[in-house]
Amino acid sequence: AIGIVENMSYYACPNCHHEADIFGHGGGERLATQLDVPFLGRLPIYQPIREGGDTGVPIVISEPGSVAGRAFMVVAERTAAQVSIAAFKAIEANKGKIPLIQVR
């Protein structure tokens, strides 16, 4: 596994930008620790995320500086880092050869 992302982790008010942990806090981190995988981040419940999905404009484009936009970038950066680490380990395990995985 690449890691754990805690989706709908907290509510981010689009008006006042207050964050509320309506489902509790820390569950994703605890699960990542239990499974011994990296915790990649928390993504909020934020109406503009859904609206952007409906219109095809991601939150990282429409509101890159918002709490949600920054959260998605953190998750993307941490995911990319974990993919890079996994690729390095796979190459190292195959004595410098890049392993090919057949996809169907």
Side-chain angles (χ1 to χ4, degrees), residues 10-94:
Y10 55 95
Y11 172 73
C13 178
N15 298 314
C16 70
H17 305 292
H18 173 74
E19 297 178 20
D21 292 317
I22 57 177
F23 298 121
H25 182 82
E29 288 104 329
R30 284 190 299 277
L31 181 61
T33 299
Q34 290 171 358
L35 297 176
D36 195 28
V37 298
F39 179 70
L40 301 175
R42 303 169 69 216
L43 299 175
I45 297 172
Y46 184 59
Q47 186 173 344
I49 294 171
R50 195 255 326 142
E51 291 168 349
D54 290 348
T55 62
V57 181
I59 196 74
V60 295
I61 299 297
S62 64
E63 294 184 29
S66 68
V67 170
R70 290 190 312 269
F72 270 91
M73 289 305 295
V74 165
V75 167
E77 290 167 356
R78 290 177 180 172
T79 301
Q82 292 305 314
V83 168
S84 179
I85 291 166
F88 177 80
K89 288 179 179 178
I91 292 169
E92 193 175 62
N94 285 291

Side-chain angles (χ1 to χ4, degrees), residues 100-104:
L100 299 178
I101 300 169
Q102 185 176 6
V103 179
R104 295 178 191 213

